[in-house]
Amino acid sequence: MKDNIFAELYNKLLGFFRQAEEEESAKDVACNRLRVVLMQDRTNLTPQLLERMRSELVELLSKYLEMDKEALELNLDQEGEQMALMLSIPVIRAKDEEEIEKALAEAETEKEENEPSEEEVEETDDVEESEQTEDETEEVSEKEEVKEFPNKEICGDCRECELSDDIECEKKEINKTAKKSK
Amino acid sequence: MSGRVIVITSGKGGVGKTTTNANIGTALAKAGNKVVMIDTDLGLRNLDLLLGLENRIVYTIVDVVEERCKLKQALVKDKKNPNLCLLAAAQTRDKTAVTQEQLKDICDQLKKDYDFILVDCPAGIEQGFQNAVAGATEAIVVTTPEMSAVRDADRIIGLLEAKEEIESYKLLLNRVRPNLIKSNDMMSVEDVVEILSADLIGIIPEDTGIITSTNKGEPIVNDEKSLAGRAYMNVARRIMGEDVPFMNLEEETSVVAKVKKFFKGLMGKEK
């Protein structure tokens, strides 16, 4: 009996410290992984189709953002009856206006060749924007822990500030307003 | 009389289908119902072992189908409970030896004389599963709080939903370990229920008693002191339509409960 009491106490203590570390518990990992895999099982999206969707999204988004293409995560999630598409993209930097214009122009010429319907493009655009803001906030929370000090020092004329969302500087503000005005 | 045909299935192997079948069957029979269990796991039969009936089997379901004996001759009566009997699977044949129609026909015949027909389904989603489900109108999906088992249960639920004959299915969560759930190392009952969005019919705690009961060939429901045995009894009562609250496993397995149980055991011995 005594052994049991001590074992329980020990586990409680361990559990307490684990929580303090804010490490994702095995249970949460299991739940999240399961949700993803079940979503794939339930929809008839094969890995090939998902991969195709992924690459098309990368193509589209890279017109506007420079991002880590390999790290793009595409998940389907179920919230009650609703199915949600979760997109997580580590943004390296936002492209400036010129680059975007150029990319769009390039796409335009391609479009003329292929003629996809405009509605589709608009729809996906909307989704991306909302997803993107979500992901940016996610990114911030992740990166905050790692890069707190070094960036503030560098933040001058260089582009370091753009790499990370947690640093505010003049240049970034300008970029932001430029984005908004669009 | 028109009995209820319940198939006990899981998709994944080793989650406790056969144990569940043996225990629910025994519990239902103990409560006064006439119960017959059908093992459809042709080639890999085990239900006879869990019930301790392996030496009494003369005819199997294949013998019935191939008309070497009458259905009643193939039913093996339980050692303790005359209300309970088993229709064993053939150990030397494969899943193709019995067809869906034949199994449905057997279920229909048994319905006339028995309150409950429990069909023990083989693992997997192939022919064996399709056969086992053929005669049933209800299903119990057994799973454990492990990812692979939950995923397979989800697949099975999808298949059951597509079957018109299956009027309802319930989830039975087996091998639950309250300590691991408490420390957030294992998915909780709520997690699994939410992920699968299915109705729950029972929560069975992990119990070492299952091993000894299997070794002895005696279902654990016969041991009224065991937690898993009581949990199985509750499942049987729920199947019969009683409204039985779910056990609080965390409380039951806590140190205090163990101390209480220990003293109760002492007192019992003194008497």
Side-chain angles (χ1 to χ4, degrees):
Chain A
M1 275 305 134
K2 265 189 179 174
D3 274 358
N4 265 338
I5 294 169
F6 283 121
E8 197 155 289
L9 206 82
Y10 175 73
N11 279 334
K12 269 185 187 167
L13 269 173
L14 255 185
F16 181 76
F17 282 114
R18 265 189 211 157
Q19 276 177 2
E21 280 171 23
E22 279 185 33
E23 202 177 286
E24 202 177 18
S25 67
K27 167 207 134 134
D28 291 331
V29 175
C31 282
N32 292 335
R33 288 177 62 204
L34 248 179
R35 285 203 182 96
V36 172
V37 88
L38 286 187
M39 244 17 264
Q40 286 171 5
D41 289 356
R42 286 171 190 170
T43 58
N44 291 319
L45 280 176
T46 59
Q48 286 83 7
L49 281 173
L50 271 176
E51 187 48 45
R52 194 176 151 184
M53 184 156 100
R54 206 187 93 111
S55 63
E56 278 176 24
L57 282 170
V58 167
E59 196 185 317
L60 180 100
L61 291 173
S62 50
K63 287 178 202 161
Y64 302 90
L65 296 164
E66 194 170 301
M67 61 200 182
D68 187 351
K69 286 175 191 170
E70 294 306 309
L72 183 139
E73 260 182 55
L74 184 66
N75 292 326
L76 287 164
D77 207 346
Q78 183 124 30
E79 284 163 22
E81 294 285 290
Q82 282 272 307
M83 197 161 103
L85 178 73
M86 305 300 274
L87 198 58
S88 172
I89 324 151
V91 177
I92 296 172
R93 68 178 188 91
K95 288 191 174 179
D96 53 39
E97 214 169 321
E98 264 178 49
E99 283 173 296
I100 294 172
E101 291 292 347
K102 198 179 160 193
L104 285 176
E106 268 174 29
E108 201 71 26
T109 50
E110 266 178 49
K111 206 198 277 177
E112 273 165 27
E113 286 162 25
N114 299 329
E115 286 284 317
S117 71
E118 276 184 23
E119 273 176 38
E120 264 181 23
V121 178
E122 265 173 41
E123 258 178 47
T124 43
D125 252 9
D126 281 352
V127 176
E128 287 346 312
E129 258 167 13
S130 58
E131 297 280 358
Q132 190 187 312
T133 46
E134 260 184 45
D135 292 317
E136 269 177 356
T137 50
E138 260 178 45
E139 285 295 311
V140 172
S141 60
E142 271 175 33
K143 282 180 182 171
E144 254 173 356
E145 292 160 23
V146 195
K147 298 177 182 175
E148 259 187 23
F149 303 106
N151 291 322
K152 276 185 186 168
E153 289 169 5
I154 310 162
C155 197
D157 205 15
C158 70
R159 279 180 166 159
E160 282 298 311
C161 56
E162 285 176 343
L163 285 175
S164 166
D165 290 290
D166 53 319
I167 306 152
E168 295 296 327
C169 82
E170 289 170 12
K171 198 168 180 202
K172 196 168 185 184
E173 282 302 315
I174 294 163
N175 269 345
K176 269 189 185 172
T177 45
K179 252 195 207 171
K180 274 177 196 168
S181 64
K182 278 189 124 191
Chain B
M1 193 193 302
S2 184
R4 290 161 64 185
V5 185
I6 307 174
V7 62
I8 295 170
T9 179
S10 74
K12 186 179 180 296
V15 294
K17 275 183 302 297
T18 307
T19 310
T20 298
N21 205 313
N23 280 291
I24 293 178
T26 307
L28 285 170
K30 274 177 97 170
N33 299 290
K34 288 192 80 181
V35 183
V36 58
M37 290 179 277
I38 308 179
D39 191 348
T40 64
D41 204 347
L42 299 179
L44 292 167
R45 74 170 182 214
N46 279 320
L47 191 52
D48 52 336
L49 276 182
L50 299 206
L51 294 162
L53 298 176
E54 68 274 15
N55 292 326
R56 304 192 180 191
I57 295 166
V58 182
Y59 296 114
T60 67
I61 190 166
V62 176
D63 295 319
V64 175
V65 164
E66 292 174 357
E67 292 178 347
R68 275 191 290 273
C69 71
K70 285 185 181 145
L71 179 54
K72 276 191 182 154
Q73 285 178 291
L75 298 178
V76 186
K77 274 215 166 69
D78 184 55
K79 287 181 285 188
K80 283 187 177 170
N81 200 324
N83 282 337
L84 182 67
C85 58
L86 168 74
L87 178 55
Q91 184 66 345
T92 51
R93 300 292 289 272
D94 66 11
K95 305 284 187 271
T96 53
V98 178
T99 65
Q100 292 186 32
E101 289 74 31
Q102 285 165 336
L103 221 129
K104 195 169 181 300
D105 189 47
I106 289 174
C107 287
D108 287 341
Q109 284 184 51
L110 290 169
K111 261 189 210 174
K112 292 173 198 155
D113 300 317
Y114 291 86
D115 299 302
F116 290 97
I117 296 110
L118 301 182
V119 185
D120 190 21
C121 178
I125 52 173
E126 296 85 16
Q127 198 54 47
F129 165 76
Q130 303 292 351
N131 288 350
V133 173
T137 52
E138 293 170 64
I140 292 177
V141 180
V142 183
T143 187
T144 66
E146 288 161 73
M147 293 183 62
S148 45
V150 175
R151 183 190 199 178
D152 292 359
D154 187 74
R155 190 94 170 82
I156 287 290
I157 287 173
L159 292 172
L160 290 174
E161 274 178 345
K163 294 215 178 285
E164 277 175 25
E165 313 87 61
I166 301 292
E167 289 156 15
S168 73
Y169 62 86
K170 294 273 164 60
L171 194 68
L172 185 137
L173 199 54
N174 201 9
R175 309 190 69 168
V176 173
R177 297 165 76 167
N179 287 337
L180 286 186
I181 291 173
K182 213 174 167 188
S183 61
N184 274 336
D185 288 321
M186 189 178 231
M187 282 188 282
S188 68
V189 177
E190 294 77 22
D191 290 329
V192 178
V193 170
E194 193 214 305
I195 287 172
L196 295 176
S197 53
D199 286 342
L200 199 61
I201 197 154
I203 308 165
I204 316 294
E206 171 93 28
D207 193 332
T208 46
I210 293 280
I211 297 169
T212 47
S213 84
T214 306
N215 288 344
K216 288 180 190 163
E218 196 167 287
I220 203 164
V221 273
N222 287 329
D223 176 7
E224 274 148 28
K225 278 184 203 157
S226 95
L227 205 56
R230 272 157 52 210
Y232 273 124
M233 199 69 211
N234 286 346
V235 175
R237 287 168 62 196
R238 287 186 201 110
I239 291 173
M240 291 187 288
E242 277 181 57
D243 189 15
V244 188
F246 290 104
M247 262 189 229
N248 188 338
L249 292 181
E250 209 171 276
E251 264 175 32
E252 297 272 1
T253 51
S254 72
V255 175
V256 182
K258 277 180 188 161
V259 173
K260 268 189 194 167
K261 204 179 158 192
F262 178 69
F263 280 111
K264 264 188 192 167
L266 280 183
M267 306 257 277
K269 269 176 198 166
E270 273 167 24
K271 277 176 194 173

